[in-house]
Amino acid sequence: MRAVQITAFGGPEVLRTADVADPKPTEEQVLVDVTLAGINYRDTHYSELTESPGMRLPVIPGMEVVGRTEDGRRVAATVPNGGYAERVAVDATMLVDIPDAVDDFSALALLVQGTTAWLLLHESARIRPGESVLVQAAAGGVGSLAVQLAVLAGAGRVIAAAGTPAKRELARDLGADATVDSTREGFADAVREVTEGSGVDIVLDMSGGEITRQSRAVLAPLGRLICYGMASRTLPPPVGLPELMDSSTTVSGFVLEHATTKPGLLETALRELYDHVTSQRLRVVCGGVYPLAEARAAHEDLCARRTVGKLALDVAR
């Protein structure tokens, strides 16, 4: 089968298309013929060996797929790796049947980015109607869905942060009440301007570094900052308990895998997401579907922040 392999660690240039042996499922696994493979920002860390330091080469990256099983089921699934390929062996417990009314691309986008956005708001931040929400990277895969889900949850004000005018305009189209330039010097001052000095109740942050520091500075009393990524590759300054107590704020982290430890939680998120998509209350933004052989180009575009919404690989191309 055709697959994308990593044979040496590095940047996007290490992604190579190759002919490899088909996976051999165990008794607990199901073979899935892949239609689309999802591209996530985490995949770019993966090739740089910043996610799985014990990983052995060669390896096929990719943590999410949509496809069909041998008995014809149309499914979505997350995998530890192996998604950038024509076929993948998936633990049977990780298969999610896709409703007829949901297309393959939307199902792929909701599996990781959608559930992440939903859980950030409803599980980690415990959003309440009327609260204000600041969404970093608001035109990205998670951010574009989080803006809409915050509106659907009854947020009083949704502020979208993005680095270009086009991305900020997209966020407004998705329902954001206000936008700020995430590249502007004095980002925190820009947020204070649009909130008239009151700050925000919830921040969803995947940037790290200076943006995380400034995002914490604009939290209102009892505000919550949820960090779910480190796109800048830079750690933010450490936070001390006295600082948190001074403003009664919370800083916490989120990784999607931990949601699997709560039975039924991901299923609840997906049911609501599917319902929102089929009723057209939630729009999945397609940022590009690349041929399998152009995985390198997809990673280059993602790392350069030239993309919006969800990215995918079409393994048939």
Side-chain angles (χ1 to χ4, degrees):
M1 68 174 185
R2 288 194 314 142
V4 174
Q5 274 192 322
I6 298 172
T7 57
F9 293 110
E13 74 281 355
V14 304
L15 300 176
R16 305 285 176 85
T17 307
D19 290 321
V20 301
D22 282 5
K24 296 181 179 180
T26 66
E27 291 183 358
E28 293 77 27
Q29 292 179 320
V30 175
L31 191 65
V32 174
D33 289 320
V34 178
T35 304
L36 295 174
I39 300 171
N40 293 282
Y41 207 91
R42 184 174 176 179
D43 297 344
T44 68
H45 291 277
Y46 198 48
S47 65
E48 296 169 356
L49 197 57
T50 55
E51 282 289 342
S52 302
M55 187 171 60
R56 293 184 178 182
L57 298 179
V59 67
I60 299 169
M63 60 182 289
E64 57 176 356
V65 297
V66 163
R68 287 191 180 272
T69 61
E70 291 179 314
D71 60 2
R73 293 168 60 194
R74 193 165 66 99
V75 296
T78 56
V79 290
N81 53 56
Y84 291 12
E86 292 181 313
R87 286 172 286 281
V88 63
V90 180
D91 288 347
T93 57
M94 302 305 294
L95 294 175
V96 177
D97 288 296
I98 302 172
D100 291 340
V102 177
D103 65 272
D104 283 357
F105 189 86
S106 294
L108 188 69
L110 298 179
L111 185 63
V112 172
Q113 275 98 348
T115 55
T116 295
W118 192 94
L119 290 164
L120 286 169
L121 288 164
H122 293 281
E123 187 70 13
S124 294
R126 306 281 182 174
I127 186 172
R128 294 184 290 269
E131 290 191 309
S132 56
V133 182
L134 169 62
V135 180
Q136 300 285 6
V142 174
S144 61
L145 294 168
V147 166
Q148 299 173 79
L149 290 172
V151 173
L152 289 169
R157 190 171 178 81
V158 179
I159 303 163
T164 69
K167 289 181 177 182
R168 293 191 290 275
E169 183 60 31
L170 172 61
R172 281 193 177 274
D173 289 344
L174 296 173
D177 300 293
T179 62
V180 291
D181 184 351
S182 58
T183 66
R184 167 181 162 176
E185 186 176 351
F187 169 75
D189 292 333
V191 175
R192 291 190 186 97
E193 287 175 17
V194 299
T195 62
E196 298 179 346
S198 62
V200 291
D201 299 305
I202 296 169
V203 178
L204 306 184
D205 175 51
M206 54 79 68
S207 299
E210 177 63 13
I211 287 293
T212 299
R213 185 193 70 79
Q214 295 198 46
S215 295
R216 187 170 59 82
V218 299
L219 283 175
L222 301 176
R224 291 89 72 198
L225 184 150
I226 320 297
C227 182
Y228 66 99
M230 208 69 62
S232 68
R233 268 71 164 176
T234 305
L235 291 174
V239 182
L241 283 175
E243 298 173 73
L244 298 177
M245 289 188 292
D246 282 347
S247 54
S248 296
T249 52
T250 300
V251 175
S252 64
F254 176 84
V255 175
L256 182 61
E257 286 87 339
H258 297 137
T260 62
T261 64
K262 288 193 173 185
L265 186 58
L266 285 175
E267 290 81 358
T268 298
L270 275 173
R271 276 197 303 272
E272 185 168 316
L273 291 165
Y274 286 156
D275 182 56
H276 286 327
V277 166
T278 56
S279 62
Q280 299 185 351
R281 293 190 298 267
L282 184 65
R283 170 186 164 194
V284 172
V285 177
C286 179
V289 179
Y290 298 72
L292 185 67
E294 294 183 15
R296 171 179 175 172
H299 277 223
E300 288 173 342
D301 290 343
L302 185 60
C303 291
R305 303 188 180 186
R306 292 190 289 262
T307 65
V308 297
K310 179 64 180 172
L311 306 181
L313 293 175
D314 181 348
V315 302
R317 291 165 58 200

